[in-house]
Each structure stands twice: as C-alpha cells, then as structure tokens.
Amino acid sequence: MNPGNDAPAIRFEAGRWIMPGLATAHSHAFQRALRGRTQRRATRAGTFRGWRDEMYRLVEGLGLDDLYAISRFAYTELAMSGVTAVGEFHYVHHGPGGRPYADRTELADAVVRAARDAGIRICLIRTAYLRAGFGQSAVPAQERFIDPSIDQVLQDLNDLRSRYADDPHVTVAAAAHSVRAVPISGIRTLAAYADEHNLPFHMHVSEQRGELEECRAEHGTTPVALLSSEGVLSPRFVAVHATHLEDAEVSALGENHAFVCICRTTERDLGDGLPPTSGLLDAGARLCVGVDSHACENAFEEIRAVELDERSRREVRHAAAEAPVLLDAATTQGYTACGLEAQWQEDQIHLDGNDPSIAAIDPNCAPDAILFGATPRAVKTVVVAGKQIIAEGRHAQYDETLELYRKSLRKLELM
C-alpha cells in the first residue's frame, strides 16, 4: 500500500506539530468498562472464552444510560489521545431477554449521542447477530444481540441511514458480526445491501483459531475463503483482525483491495496471535487500525504496533510499513473504512513540540519520530470540523463525563 497524492502531511508551526486527526475504525465502546478488570490471570478471564464470559456479564446489566455514559467516556478518552473519528461496531441492540425497545435503534442512538457529546465523528456500524453459533444455544447476554431475521437488520439500517443522512459527523455502515454469528445467507444479503447503497461492510474474520475450526465444521473451509467464494469481498469490505489466514486468503483480500483493520492492543490482550501484515500489504490490501475493546487508549501505540509486532513475527528490523504508510492507514484509510472519506482533511491534532516523547526531533524524521515515539500526553489541541474539542490536553467536559462513567460502574458493581 502506497499513500496517494493526497497522503497526509505533518508540519511544524509555533512550537507544535500539526497532523491530521486519527481514525480508529473498530470499537466496542461498552467494553471500556472491562479495562483493568480482566487482564490478570487470577480473574475468570484467563482465556478468550473466559474474557468473553466476563463481557457477557457486563452486557446483562447494561442499561441505556450506562451504555451512553461508558461510550461517552471512551470517546472522550479517544479524543484526548488524538482520535477524531471512530467506527463503532455496534451489536448490543435490545433490552434484557432480547426484548426490542419501542424504538428499535434506541441503543444505537445513545452511542451516536455519546460520540457527538464527546465531539468526535462516528460511523455507526449496525451489526447483524442472528445466532450464538452453528448448532449452539444463546447464553442470556447474547439475547440482547440477536435479531429474529435479517429483514429486521435491514430495516434498522434504513432507519439509521435516514435519521443521520444530513449529519456530517455521523455515517452508517453495515456489518455481520462473524461467520459464527450470521449464516452465510444473511452475510450475502448484507453484502448486497452494502453494495447497493455504497456502504462499508465490516466483519470480524479469523481472529481466533477456534473460529476457523467452527467455520470448517459448518462450511468445510475457513472464513475468508468462504467469503471469497461467496463473492462478499470487495473494496468496501473491512476484515477486522484477519489474524489467522492461509496464503490464498491473503491473496483474495489483496486482489479485492479490501481493508484489513488491525487492532493490536486488543489482539495482544486477548492472545489472538499475529496477523500477516507484510503479506497483506504486498498483496494489495489496505490497512486501518482499531481500538476494539479499549484495553489501551493510546492511538499512537495502535499505529506503531502494526509495524513493530510484524518485526517480532518476522524477526527483521523493517518489516511491513514505513511511517507514511502507517500515517495513511491511521488517517485517510481509517476515515474511508468508516465512510468518512470526504471529511478526513477537516480534522487535525496539535502536538506539543516540547513534550518529552517528541522533544528536539529532527524535522526530516518527524513522521517516524511522532508515530514511533509520541504518546497521548503530547496531544494538546484537537479540532473536528473547525471546532476545538481538546484544549491543552483536556476535554472541557471531562469531569462531568468521568462522573457519569463512575456512576455507571458503581451501578454495575464494577467499583
């Protein structure tokens, strides 16, 4: 992947480095409440499935106000890290027991409101989740995810697209949660809908080896191979994680110029494995990054980990992506994967040139020095659509947002 003629630039003015706003194309904002509570071996989250059980426990008690409060805090923290656009992979749709709200999209609207109140742009990725898995019964928490039919998903997509059609801060995209959670017939239907309406189409693919085993049991092949054979892959397709791929699957993603959204801080936390980043880039896939479970809110770490973890996988010094490619992935490509390609040049962040992480850097090496060295502490100003949302490193509503977050954690018995 080579950045195009409109590749973003970094410049120095009045003691600050100015660069485009960053996009995180894959987020589950409600999972921010799990940070620091599921990392230790002593918890019940010692495996991926154990972590998922803890996530399900959180979902069972999650109220409308809780989802808003946790999401608003997560997005505010993202903004303070330099993120100006987020793709929210939204699949908590219903009330306890799977009972739909009177307004079926009430929880989706709460997430959008949280992003707007934090001041960042959002792509609401309305995610289909139709079953617990092939031949599996749903646990109680999953009932809040599951829709009775693909038609209900399409109706929600239509309603959300209509509601936010004129809002430059909000886009809507389609998603199937995974091959596990959506039958292939539903995936085909959603892909056709995305194609018809020119929407991004996101999916978790090949994150864990267990997912591959389940896909082979149902379909006789692996997830990306299945999607390729069904004609689902396209330049609008966003493969989230893509950790465990066969060579032919890497080629298929590249030949279709699909996006691969790498979420290294979460993939590290969950022990997912290492994606074949070099091969994906060489094949022609486009990269973007995502915060995913909000295990770590350091937008710069999310970017540089794409290259640094590939160095560890390949045991070489320079492995996949130079700084311009990483910057393109974190800005232009991330915005495009969120259907916000028309807006990416309107948003920017200012970094303190005297911050210890980037102090006295060589201007000729600025992209490398910033992407491989900066921390959120260096972020002083964040501007979205001409409006300053972060000043001197702090969000104007941070104290209020933090108190709402703490209130929800107390209610959920998490503090």
Side-chain angles (χ1 to χ4, degrees), residues 403-415:
E403 184 51 40
L404 287 173
Y405 178 61
R406 284 175 167 158
K407 180 179 178 182
S408 283
L409 293 187
R410 287 191 291 268
K411 174 190 167 188
L412 294 164
E413 298 182 348
L414 292 172
M415 66 175 292

Side-chain angles (χ1 to χ4, degrees), residues 59-62 94-101 140 143-144:
V59 168
E60 286 187 79
L62 203 63
H94 312 301
R99 293 183 297 277
Y101 288 90
E143 294 172 349
R144 301 194 66 176

Side-chain angles (χ1 to χ4, degrees), residues 6-17:
D6 295 327
I10 298 175
R11 67 184 190 276
F12 189 74
E13 290 183 9
R16 293 191 174 189
W17 292 99

